[in-house]
Amino acid sequence: LREKGDWDKAGDAILSLGGEATDEAERFLLSGEAALRYLRSGHAGKAKDVLSWFVDKDDSASALAIDERVRRRLTFKEQKALKTTPSFAEYEAFVNSVAREYREKVASASRLSDLESKYATDKENARTRNLLAREYALRGDWAKAIPLLSKAKGNIGLAAREELAKPEATGNDAVAIADGWWKVEGREYAKELTEACRRHAVEWYRTALTDES
């Protein structure tokens, strides 16, 4: 297939081998080879699908590494021709989006680690405690967030204390807790924190509905 210049079918053949691979390193290498051949055939959409498999498996690092390896192996002429294909713009947008989210994830993990270290050495620092609680809440780690949020002021502190008092709440009590989290809004709360609290409120509303049924 390679000798015939049928890069697209060559990519399909290699990708099928990658699907059968049980070794992660082998799958990574075969997926890269398939993506390369798809790009050479002008089918950037198929190359995007290859990277998407890794992203869906929460392995954006491998997806980005494959893209980097593939681009290094494309000749200048191949890269120039590829940029004229309609699907390449979508491929590039996808890769840029994955890269941006991955950088944010790495930065967020570093930020969380720093806050945990600071809080461990000074648990009376309200600013550090609130920032750490926010990081946990945004991750949906309410088991860690709520004890910290219970020391906060305002609606978010009230909601956290109510949940701490009745962690196994059902029925009307569950609705009351949900209502408390839904009320967390206003200029003092970042938009993403308000959204996280409302997602948590929905969990409690669902608990109440389940109990009724």
Side-chain angles (χ1 to χ4, degrees), residues 98-205:
V98 172
R100 182 170 58 253
E101 291 178 4
Y102 181 69
R103 287 194 298 270
E104 291 173 355
K105 184 177 181 180
V106 171
S108 178
S110 176
R111 184 167 60 247
L112 177 61
S113 178
D114 289 344
L115 286 171
E116 287 177 331
S117 296
K118 289 180 181 179
Y119 183 66
T121 58
D122 185 7
K123 294 189 176 183
E124 298 305 314
N125 188 310
R127 175 174 169 76
T128 299
R129 181 180 65 240
N130 291 337
L131 288 173
L132 180 57
R134 176 181 180 277
E135 289 296 321
Y136 286 142
L138 294 181
R139 287 170 168 75
D141 192 345
W142 293 99
K144 291 182 179 179
I146 289 171
L148 300 178
L149 290 173
S150 67
K151 299 177 183 179
K153 298 178 181 178
N155 286 339
I156 199 166
L158 290 172
R161 288 191 290 274
E162 188 164 2
E163 181 167 339
L164 270 182
K166 300 177 180 179
E168 303 297 328
T170 58
N172 290 335
D173 287 339
V175 171
I177 292 174
D179 289 344
W181 287 112
W182 197 266
K183 292 177 183 177
V184 177
E185 60 181 344
R187 286 182 294 179
E188 67 268 35
Y189 304 115
K191 179 181 178 182
E192 57 268 27
L193 181 57
T194 295
E195 291 174 349
C197 289
R198 290 195 167 179
R199 287 194 296 272
H200 190 52
V202 169
E203 293 174 359
W204 275 106
Y205 284 131

